[in-house]
Amino acid sequence: MARDYYGILGVPQGASEQEIKRAYRKKARELHPDVNPGEEERFKEVSTAYEVLSDPEKRRIVDAGGDPLATAGAGGFGGGFGGGGFGDVFEAFFGSGGAFGGGGGFGGGRGPRSRVQPGEPALVAVELDLAECASGVNKEITVDTAILCDVCTGSGTNGTSKPVTCDTCEGNGQIQAVQRSLLGQVMTVRECPTCHGVGEVIADPCHKCGGDGRVRSRRTMTVRIPAGIESGMRVRLAGQGEVGPGGGPAGDLYVEISERPHEVFMRDKDDLHCTLRVPMADAALGAEFSVDTILGDPVTVAIAAGTQPGQVVKLRGQGMPHVNSGVRGTMHVHLDVVVPAKLDSAQAAALKRFRETSDDQIEIVSTTSAAGPGGLFSRLRNAFAGR
């Protein structure tokens, strides 16, 4: 036979959510074990009934004559305790550490925690130039972190002394106190302020670390920075961070990279961009130039005859190496055709002869042409953007 969840809370079948909540609060205040010892089972029944009727889907099953907990195999009244059912409802309704105590059940608490805790991660910033990012480098860094105390080796005690049971909480790690709330006078549970939840105190602490099991230390170490790394990336060194309280395992150390601007190259992920100034005659006749790559090896840039200002020569495999695969990106060489500002008489005469034989005409071009990649508008826009 299905349980009478409405009857347990003392409300009619058509009761509203507010009526169900008020009925639950009233009965929970009357029956809570910390207020009224001996009513644990009835309190569980009331709590389970509220869990069911506050859930629209479970309530629909009840209204249809069924039992949602029996259907789900919840194991009868009290199934919500320890199984995530009522515990979740109670946590959401009253909040962690609320009127009935925090996080560990009713009146009991979760007990003392371990003195030994894992350590926190540490972060060190390292600045590299572009060439170092391209080739990879061994970098010496200085780390200021907590390390294991070499006197007590993490125990926190002096010599052969041992921690003793905390007198304040009697080893529970928590203390109880009565306070008033919307349910009346109820018992609260909080961390012991003397032992900080551990249940033990160190009466005779280590003279070097003061009982913490760790000390601050500055150390120097070498880290390998892989080729292709860029600003914002981090290198992880497992177990090189902060040692935890009580000599707990150390966290990780992260080396975060920032990249200094380069005088020649501008980086775009694995690609590099640079500008090559080409004399007007070489742009017209064609030429070859030797330029250095980011790794220092010279490479030949072939300028085709009739090259126009703003054209780009792409050298694949001459950019930055990818940090995982090592495959190098593309080096984009932007060509800047240079018109001489001064000419001697021979040069001026040669250009005059060229002009006389040339059929090129001065003309106004459309805005579409002028706005192209190497057009006047594009170059003007880039010039103003760089200011």
Side-chain angles (χ1 to χ4, degrees):
M1 179 180 296
R3 300 177 182 88
D4 182 8
Y5 295 106
Y6 291 101
I8 294 171
L9 288 180
V11 295
Q13 184 170 350
S16 66
E17 292 181 4
Q18 291 299 324
E19 290 174 331
I20 291 174
K21 184 178 294 187
R22 281 197 298 269
Y24 168 65
R25 287 182 176 180
K26 179 179 179 181
K27 287 189 175 293
R29 181 175 56 197
E30 295 172 352
L31 301 174
H32 191 274
D34 287 341
V35 178
N36 198 351
E39 296 290 353
E40 287 85 356
E41 290 303 317
R42 289 187 62 195
F43 179 77
K44 290 180 182 180
E45 289 183 354
V46 167
S47 301
T48 303
Y50 176 74
E51 174 199 359
V52 171
L53 297 181
S54 61
D55 185 314
E57 184 60 26
K58 292 179 181 178
R59 185 174 180 181
R60 184 187 63 79
I61 296 174
V62 172
D63 291 344
D67 189 336
L69 297 188
T71 303
F77 284 116
F81 289 89
F86 170 70
D88 293 339
V89 175
F90 190 86
E91 181 74 13
F93 189 74
F94 291 101
S96 177
F100 294 130
F106 300 102
R110 63 180 178 274
R113 62 176 176 83
S114 172
R115 180 181 298 279
V116 180
Q117 298 291 321
E120 296 291 331
L123 179 66
V124 175
V126 171
E127 189 178 54
L128 303 177
D129 60 41
L130 189 61
E132 290 175 319
C133 292
S135 63
V137 65
N138 291 323
K139 206 71 173 178
E140 189 175 84
I141 61 174
T142 300
V143 186
D144 188 358
T145 59
I147 64 172
L148 189 70
C149 177
D150 59 354
V151 174
C152 66
T153 62
S155 68
T157 58
N158 184 37
T160 59
S161 64
K162 301 291 183 182
V164 297
T165 301
C166 176
D167 291 334
T168 303
C169 64
E170 298 180 347
N172 292 320
Q174 298 173 326
I175 59 174
Q176 297 180 342
V178 177
Q179 74 175 35
R180 297 188 61 82
S181 73
L182 59 88
L183 299 180
Q185 286 189 340
V186 294
M187 190 73 69
T188 62
V189 180
R190 60 185 177 89
E191 182 180 271
C192 176
T194 302
C195 66
H196 304 291
V198 176
E200 296 178 331
V201 294
I202 298 178
D204 186 16
C206 170
H207 298 308
K208 184 171 184 178
C209 67
D212 193 36
R214 55 183 183 167
V215 293
R216 303 298 301 184
S217 175
R218 177 168 293 182
R219 53 199 170 101
T220 301
M221 59 190 301
T222 301
V223 57
R224 176 62 186 172
I225 308 296
I229 200 162
E230 61 181 297
S231 288
M233 288 185 175
R234 293 180 177 182
V235 177
R236 173 177 172 266
L237 302 177
Q240 295 296 325
E242 298 271 350
V243 168
D252 297 335
L253 171 64
Y254 293 91
V255 180
E256 184 169 273
I257 304 301
S258 62
E259 183 180 296
R260 288 191 291 268
H262 195 270
E263 294 181 352
V264 173
F265 295 104
M266 184 181 72
R267 182 175 185 176
D268 180 17
K269 301 297 182 183
D270 295 339
D271 289 349
L272 293 175
H273 295 261
C274 65
T275 299
L276 179 64
R277 302 190 69 187
V278 180
M280 180 181 66
D282 291 320
L285 300 174
E288 290 186 350
F289 298 91
S290 179
V291 298
D292 290 335
T293 65
I294 187 61
L295 293 178
D297 301 325
V299 64
T300 299
V301 179
I303 307 298
T307 290
Q308 300 299 307
Q311 287 187 337
V312 179
V313 176
K314 296 183 180 181
L315 304 177
R316 302 191 185 280
Q318 298 299 332
M320 297 291 289
H322 191 275
V323 72
N324 292 323
S325 66
V327 176
R328 294 179 65 181
T330 300
M331 177 174 162
H332 302 257
V333 182
H334 299 256
L335 304 179
D336 182 16
V337 178
V338 180
V339 177
K342 293 183 179 180
L343 298 173
D344 59 28
S345 57
Q347 292 170 334
L351 277 178
K352 286 178 181 179
R353 288 194 300 270
F354 170 76
R355 184 171 62 185
E356 291 171 356
T357 60
S358 174
D359 58 358
D360 290 340
Q361 300 294 324
I362 297 176
E363 60 179 333
I364 298 177
V365 299
S366 67
T367 55
T368 303
S369 300
L376 174 63
F377 288 176
S378 178
R379 283 180 283 150
L380 287 175
R381 182 173 59 248
N382 292 337
F384 280 108
R387 291 185 176 179

